[in-house]
Amino acid sequence: MQSVLRDQLIPLARRMGPEPEQAPLRAALCASTVLGLALTRYMLRFPASVAFTHEEIVNWVGPTIQRYLTAPTP
């Protein structure tokens, strides 16, 4: 997971973000969201997480990931 963060997410955040020096923070926020969903859906099998369709995941989680990558610093 650390190599995915280092080799894929941080470079993506550096390219997309308004402040490249924030790339590690923005990548970590994205990873925490995706890993949290994976944990509740596939390991803990929370019924609501398991019931999500692909489209629902994209519609709910996608805007959050995009905001983490591209929004101005709060």
Side-chain angles (χ1 to χ4, degrees), residues 21-45:
E21 67 277 0
Q22 291 182 334
L25 171 63
R26 290 172 181 271
L29 289 167
C30 293
S32 69
T33 299
V34 172
L35 289 172
L37 178 61
L39 174 69
T40 61
R41 184 175 172 94
Y42 298 109
M43 296 184 75
L44 301 176
R45 302 200 49 82

Side-chain angles (χ1 to χ4, degrees), residues 33 37 52-65:
T33 299
L37 178 61
F52 267 133
T53 66
H54 176 78
E55 184 176 328
E56 288 172 323
I57 291 172
V58 169
N59 290 338
W60 277 98
V61 178
T64 298
I65 299 296

Side-chain angles (χ1 to χ4, degrees), residues 5-31:
L5 183 71
R6 181 187 63 242
D7 299 338
Q8 295 179 33
L9 284 175
I10 291 175
L12 175 68
R14 191 171 286 120
R15 285 192 308 274
M16 295 185 69
E19 300 174 44
E21 67 277 0
Q22 291 182 334
L25 171 63
R26 290 172 181 271
L29 289 167
C30 293

